[in-house]
Amino acid sequence: MRTQPRIVVVGSFMMDLMSRTPRLPVPGETVMGGPFQMGPGGKGSNQAVAAARLGADVSMVVSLGRDYFGDVAYNNLVQEGVDVGCVKRVDNVSTGAALIMVDEKKGENMIVVAPGSNNELGPEDVDRAKGLILGSHCMLVQLEIPLSTVEYAIGLAHDNNVGVILNPAPGRPLPDELFQKVDVLTPNESEASAITGQPVVDVNTAGRAARELLARGCRNVVITLGAAGALAANGDGVHLVSGFNVKTVDTTGAGDAFNGALAVALAEGQSLLDAVRFANAAGALCVTKVGTAPAMPSRREVQELLAR
Ligand code: RIB
């Protein structure tokens, strides 16, 4: 019997404000979009929802404003069965929001994040969640909260033998000391490029970036390549794990579905390559639906796609 994975997410919530458009605008241009849609998002919260829907016992450490968006975030986590014991509410700061445009033909997006209350998540909040973190199989972290908080949380988990998955999104250069404390680093191509300073545009350049990130100290590197799948690299070598052929409607949140699923599979004891295949299936299912948190797949959907 599978043991139920316990996962803690230290990360963000954003209210996603989205419109689909025939094409993305260029600077200075206004384009007419489709209907306005609003829903729960943010990389941390999306990944928590993804992991919960796949059967994990999930807790979230997040900072929300005391406003309508914050209430939506809180209620959504409760509804998804995510533990909210370490959710912080802050006064006089707006809950984070994301302005999202989606190209309705290609499914590609452009996102601007206004972090708001996410900037108020500090090391003291991580300390308050120490018991939770130490009792988890794995901690998932992204970069929509202050880097000092990310570093502190990763240091705490690493020192206490809790597995760390760092999804370095949005991409940015990172301090060298961090890499040695990360069990799995999961950039997409543009994030791998932002971290290494080298262009990452295909499997070959991703392989080069993965080897550099391993040399900097990460134990495992998984670079997501969109529809092509993901490149998984560690001391055993570099392997391309193919993606699934699906009809793309909206790519927003695919990386979050991937990371939530990867955490679940690894916490269940799956090998890295099996876990990446499981995560590829979750990411593929996410792009077939509009939205972010609502587009996270169920365990049954993932298993059906894997069996196809
Ligand atoms: O990864 C997708 C997410 O990025 C969106 O939900 C948006 O909130 C941004 O954080």
Side-chain angles (χ1 to χ4, degrees):
M1 218 179 75
R2 279 192 281 123
T3 49
Q4 189 177 28
R6 279 191 309 282
I7 293 171
V8 59
V9 180
V10 179
S12 59
F13 170 85
M14 309 287 167
M15 182 64 94
D16 285 350
L17 311 172
M18 192 270 275
S19 184
R20 288 160 71 77
T21 154
R23 62 183 177 79
L24 298 171
V26 295
E29 188 189 21
T30 302
V31 296
M32 297 299 281
F36 170 67
Q37 284 181 313
M38 184 165 93
K43 297 181 194 304
S45 178
N46 291 342
Q47 292 178 24
V49 169
R53 288 192 180 181
L54 293 170
D57 186 348
V58 184
S59 302
M60 172 112 208
V61 184
V62 63
S63 169
L64 306 173
R66 266 183 218 288
D67 50 14
Y68 172 68
F69 288 179
D71 291 345
V72 171
Y74 189 91
N75 293 337
N76 180 61
L77 290 172
V78 170
Q79 192 186 319
E80 296 287 347
V82 175
D83 168 52
V84 289
C86 284
V87 171
K88 164 166 130 169
R89 302 296 296 260
V90 290
D91 294 316
N92 306 319
V93 186
S94 307
T95 298
L99 313 175
I100 305 179
M101 290 167 281
V102 177
D103 180 317
E104 65 190 16
K105 291 194 197 82
K106 300 182 188 154
E108 291 169 350
N109 61 40
M110 287 173 82
I111 305 179
V112 174
V113 153
S117 57
N118 293 291
N119 280 344
E120 308 295 316
L121 194 71
E124 65 287 359
D125 302 308
V126 174
D127 272 338
R128 262 194 292 278
K130 186 173 176 184
L132 205 62
I133 294 172
L134 269 52
S136 299
H137 292 108
C138 159
M139 183 181 75
L140 254 173
V141 199
Q142 316 74 27
L143 300 178
E144 289 182 331
I145 56 173
L147 185 59
S148 51
T149 308
V150 169
E151 292 180 290
Y152 188 80
I154 290 179
L156 180 71
H158 174 76
D159 291 349
N160 290 283
N161 300 315
V162 176
V164 174
I165 299 179
L166 173 59
N167 174 221
R172 51 165 294 166
L174 291 170
D176 271 344
E177 314 77 70
L178 203 63
F179 295 111
Q180 286 138 29
K181 300 177 186 164
V182 171
D183 294 286
V184 191
L185 187 75
T186 60
N188 65 15
E189 289 161 292
S190 70
E191 291 147 8
S193 188
I195 298 170
T196 61
Q198 306 293 330
V200 179
V201 291
D202 55 21
V203 177
N204 289 335
T205 46
R208 207 172 308 142
R211 284 189 200 90
E212 179 181 330
L213 292 166
L214 289 178
R216 289 205 207 171
C218 295
R219 233 155 294 165
N220 301 279
V221 177
V222 177
I223 302 185
T224 55
L225 302 169
L231 203 72
N234 59 19
D236 295 335
V238 180
H239 300 273
L240 176 65
V241 183
S242 302
F244 292 83
N245 197 4
V246 292
K247 187 171 169 358
T248 301
V249 173
D250 178 1
T251 57
T252 321
D256 300 329
F258 182 95
N259 277 277
L262 187 74
V264 171
L266 290 174
E268 283 175 358
Q270 297 190 34
S271 71
L272 182 66
L273 296 186
D274 285 347
V276 171
R277 194 170 127 74
F278 184 83
N280 275 346
L285 287 161
C286 178
V287 307
T288 62
K289 296 178 197 157
V290 175
T292 49
M296 297 302 147
S298 68
R299 182 101 193 183
R300 188 178 51 76
E301 289 174 302
V302 171
Q303 275 162 345
E304 280 173 5
L305 183 57
L306 286 170
R308 241 193 260 162

